[in-house]
Amino acid sequence: MGAAELQAFLASDFGQVAEDFAVEEVCAEGLRVRLKVAERHLRPGGTVSGPSMFGLADVAIYLAILSRLGPVALAVTTNASIDFMRKPEAGRDLIGEARLLKLGRVLAVGDVLMFSEGKTEPVARASMTYSIPPK
Amino acid sequence: MGAAELQAFLASDFGQVAEDFAVEEVCAEGLRVRLKVAERHLRPGGTVSGPSMFGLADVAIYLAILSRLGPVALAVTTNASIDFMRKPEAGRDLIGEARLLKLGRVLAVGDVLMFSEGKTEPVARASMTYSIPPK
Amino acid sequence: MGAAELQAFLASDFGQVAEDFAVEEVCAEGLRVRLKVAERHLRPGGTVSGPSMFGLADVAIYLAILSRLGPVALAVTTNASIDFMRKPEAGRDLIGEARLLKLGRVLAVGDVLMFSEGKTEPVARASMTYSIPPK
Amino acid sequence: MGAAELQAFLASDFGQVAEDFAVEEVCAEGLRVRLKVAERHLRPGGTVSGPSMFGLADVAIYLAILSRLGPVALAVTTNASIDFMRKPEAGRDLIGEARLLKLGRVLAVGDVLMFSEGKTEPVARASMTYSIPPK
């Protein structure tokens, strides 16, 4: 699935969060997704909240899996590990660059670096595992 | 800080999320917090979303630290690891039982088990590290 | 499987590490295992090495799974998360207290607290996931 | 510090493990280290043990920090998260490619991909946090 198809899948199957994210590019290694930061993603002081960064990481790696497998809406996150390394810049979107590291029969693993748009040092990194349902 | 003081701290310093959580009990080991599950926390099928569970874990361990240190609003999450183990029951609140495992000069560590209310098997577990700002 | 059977399983199937560990007690929640700390487990200054603590956590949770499932030698560790919280005491064994949190058809999850013998504050905590092979 | 200096540091300060590792290259992003796989690193069936992979990850990221900071022998690992994704090839060394993601005043974070030599798909990935002692 390409960027437009993944965006359409988000809209049809995850309507509540689809407007938060823009799939920007699918590449050989994985893909790039934008969290369109709005008031509801912020904490006092203008920083992006932890749950919002978790959500970006989860969507980015999940879509990287779907880009290979097609629309497997039932893949579920079983493990997540996140390092919060820098404070996101106020008033900027967050960009997630995900890599798919393993796509097995029952488990898939990916990781993601998250950046405030236009910055080169990541604000956070995450790795996640997904359980793939049997066909 | 006791349960009522922690609840008041949430309301004053984290107004956006304070209404999502009820601090139920502070004990020697840590504390118990309720995520008052509402429509905005759900995914299709009625299950509680990953970011909402992340948020419960983060609030539970953070408040366990504050219950010992007093209101240190600037402690920041530096690492989180979560295992999602079972699907939460539709239509039930989630209960987080947090333990404080380390309260050092610069780092604090805790973990939490999360349960659908009334169930004995945890839906998820998480461990988190916080950086404590110098006084 | 009880403590003696698990110890015998270690000796027959994991001969290289069996002498490092003593299974002390199997209980409803999980089990307790001792790392018999020797010179080969130490770092300069007498502290127990990270790989040795990883090994204790892995053996403890793995045996907690086997205590329920019987000898499934092929269960493999797929994820581990460890927090190192205090320096182990020189010259003391490490005790691992493991809890089995999920025992599913394809995945099992447990966590463990590790203590220098006789101390009440944990030196480390770990959580691990195992993939259970199909029968 | 370059590759030769890091290797000398391992020999002088971590004599027990220095012969297990060869620092191959220091680059802008981090560095590459080889685990010289020997009998003592193996499990039945010829696969590299979990503690040995943990050790490779820890050494790789630790040395990536030292390559920037100089010899800070007291930096300590505070958190590790590892995904074991494929079985290492029997009879091959493991190569760890570490990236330094954050080098702060009190915390440093890096991650590493581990490969059986000559293979393109990683056997494991790990991320680790280190506490940097005050000067």
Side-chain angles (χ1 to χ4, degrees), chain B residues 52-74:
Chain B
S52 298
M53 286 195 265
F54 176 93
L56 170 58
D58 198 15
V59 160
I61 303 174
Y62 183 63
L63 293 181
I65 294 169
L66 297 200
S67 73
R68 304 287 182 84
L69 284 189
V72 209
L74 293 172

Side-chain angles (χ1 to χ4, degrees), chain D residues 12-78:
Chain D
S12 65
D13 284 52
F14 293 91
Q16 319 99 301
V17 300
E19 67 185 25
D20 288 349
F21 300 105
V23 183
E24 303 220 320
E25 187 186 11
V26 176
C27 60
E29 202 175 38
L31 50 70
R32 192 172 70 243
V33 181
R34 172 186 300 263
L35 172 64
K36 297 184 284 183
V37 173
E39 186 64 28
R40 64 185 174 282
H41 303 117
L42 302 181
R43 283 277 186 274
T47 193
V48 179
S49 75
S52 297
M53 285 195 267
F54 175 93
L56 170 59
D58 198 14
V59 161
I61 303 174
Y62 183 62
L63 293 182
I65 295 170
L66 297 202
S67 73
R68 306 286 182 86
L69 284 188
V72 209
L74 294 172
V76 294
T77 312
T78 57

Side-chain angles (χ1 to χ4, degrees), chain A residues 13-14 16-17 42-44 50-51 54-55 77-84, chain B residues 13-14 16-17 42-44 50-51 54-55 77-84:
Chain A
D13 284 51
F14 292 90
Q16 318 100 301
V17 299
L42 301 181
R43 283 279 185 272
F54 175 94
T77 311
T78 58
N79 176 264
S81 168
I82 308 186
D83 293 291
F84 299 99
Chain B
D13 284 52
F14 293 90
Q16 318 98 301
V17 299
L42 301 181
R43 282 280 185 273
F54 176 93
T77 312
T78 57
N79 174 266
S81 168
I82 308 187
D83 294 292
F84 298 99

Side-chain angles (χ1 to χ4, degrees), chain D residues 35-119:
Chain D
L35 172 64
K36 297 184 284 183
V37 173
E39 186 64 28
R40 64 185 174 282
H41 303 117
L42 302 181
R43 283 277 186 274
T47 193
V48 179
S49 75
S52 297
M53 285 195 267
F54 175 93
L56 170 59
D58 198 14
V59 161
I61 303 174
Y62 183 62
L63 293 182
I65 295 170
L66 297 202
S67 73
R68 306 286 182 86
L69 284 188
V72 209
L74 294 172
V76 294
T77 312
T78 57
N79 175 264
S81 168
I82 308 186
D83 293 291
F84 299 99
M85 301 187 290
R86 296 174 182 88
K87 195 176 167 172
E89 298 275 314
R92 294 201 189 200
D93 285 352
L94 279 189
I95 308 297
E97 299 187 349
R99 298 189 295 188
L100 192 54
L101 297 173
K102 174 188 168 138
L103 186 52
R105 198 178 43 82
V106 287
L107 294 178
V109 179
D111 68 3
V112 60
L113 290 178
M114 291 171 265
F115 301 85
S116 287
E117 186 173 20
K119 294 289 184 174

